[in-house]
Amino acid sequence: MIAKTPRPPYYAVIFTSLRTDVEKGSYLETAERMLELAQEQQGFLGMESAREECVGITVSYWESLDAIKIWKGHAEHLVAQEKGKSLWYTAFKTRISRVERDYEF
Amino acid sequence: MIAKTPRPPYYAVIFTSLRTDVEKGSYLETAERMLELAQEQQGFLGMESAREECVGITVSYWESLDAIKIWKGHAEHLVAQEKGKSLWYTAFKTRISRVERDYEF
């Protein structure tokens, strides 16, 4: 779905990943749990995600850089990040950006 | 693929869309042509795209807000944007953001 974000400015974390071709260590279960957990965090504004073959893009939206930092350091999220590196992704890139303008249709 | 972008700051245009369920008016052909055309624009840095069922996320990266503005107003791109509204998308949101930090694995 398209996230219902407030009027800018706010922050977007763009996470682009290349998956390994094997479904190891409950990837989907962890992804769902991370969404659930993110939604509970202070300053979380929404998330959008799409995967096509091995390329995935997940964009999460946040009120502040602090909220992003706290989420990055969340204990359960740290475990998931480690599993991401060791099991699920062959490569990823995370970009932290400030949304300055938006429009929709 | 993961776009090979330079060191921040640079700009990201996050385009999230919900597609109609019909393949009308050569969507794929137009999408490919727009990628080709974007790559020729001054200030274009890269593009990432993923579609899962009806939700699609395309992120394009640019050197400056001016480059984004010129691309938005490109004649052939304007035609594609109109077809997007009339044929391909039930909803979309475009967010223009400034990438301040990135890291990869």
Side-chain angles (χ1 to χ4, degrees):
Chain A
M1 295 314 301
I2 297 177
K4 293 195 190 319
T5 39
R7 192 182 293 233
Y10 53 87
Y11 290 85
V13 178
I14 305 162
F15 176 74
T16 309
S17 60
L18 301 181
R19 282 278 306 280
T20 52
D21 53 359
V22 197
E23 180 56 51
K24 289 176 288 201
S26 5
Y27 170 75
L28 283 176
E29 202 179 291
T30 306
E32 267 171 39
R33 173 68 183 141
M34 287 305 112
L35 172 57
E36 189 182 285
L37 204 57
Q39 283 167 342
E40 293 168 7
Q41 304 307 302
Q42 190 83 26
F44 176 83
L45 297 175
M47 193 180 283
E48 296 165 350
S49 199
R51 176 160 296 283
E52 189 175 318
E53 290 161 26
C54 67
V55 183
I57 303 176
T58 295
V59 190
S60 60
Y61 301 101
W62 301 86
E63 270 174 21
S64 67
L65 290 174
D66 268 358
I68 293 169
K69 195 174 167 184
I70 291 167
W71 169 235
K72 188 174 192 316
H74 185 289
E76 202 174 333
H77 189 202
L78 283 174
V79 173
Q81 289 171 60
E82 276 314 305
K83 287 179 84 172
K85 286 181 190 175
S86 60
L87 293 176
W88 300 319
Y89 303 122
T90 54
F92 67 73
K93 185 145 192 158
T94 302
R95 294 175 173 98
I96 297 176
S97 71
R98 184 177 188 268
V99 178
E100 302 188 344
R101 210 150 48 81
D102 61 14
Y103 52 90
E104 62 198 327
F105 162 74
Chain B
M1 298 312 301
I2 297 178
K4 294 196 191 315
T5 40
R7 190 182 294 233
Y10 53 88
Y11 290 84
V13 179
I14 307 162
F15 176 75
T16 308
S17 60
L18 301 181
R19 281 279 305 280
T20 53
D21 52 359
V22 198
E23 180 54 52
K24 288 176 289 200
S26 7
Y27 170 76
L28 283 177
E29 201 179 292
T30 306
E32 268 172 38
R33 171 70 183 141
M34 286 307 111
L35 172 56
E36 190 183 284
L37 203 57
Q39 283 167 342
E40 293 168 7
Q41 304 306 303
Q42 190 81 27
F44 177 83
L45 297 175
M47 194 180 283
E48 296 165 348
S49 199
R51 176 160 297 283
E52 190 174 318
E53 290 161 26
C54 69
V55 183
I57 303 176
T58 296
V59 190
S60 59
Y61 300 101
W62 301 86
E63 270 175 20
S64 67
L65 289 175
D66 269 357
I68 293 169
K69 195 174 166 184
I70 291 167
W71 169 235
K72 189 175 190 313
H74 185 290
E76 202 174 333
H77 189 201
L78 284 174
V79 173
Q81 288 171 60
E82 277 314 305
K83 287 179 85 172
K85 287 183 191 176
S86 60
L87 293 176
W88 300 320
Y89 303 121
T90 54
F92 66 72
K93 185 145 191 156
T94 303
R95 293 176 175 98
I96 297 175
S97 72
R98 184 177 188 269
V99 178
E100 302 188 343
R101 210 150 48 82
D102 61 14
Y103 52 90
E104 62 197 328
F105 161 75

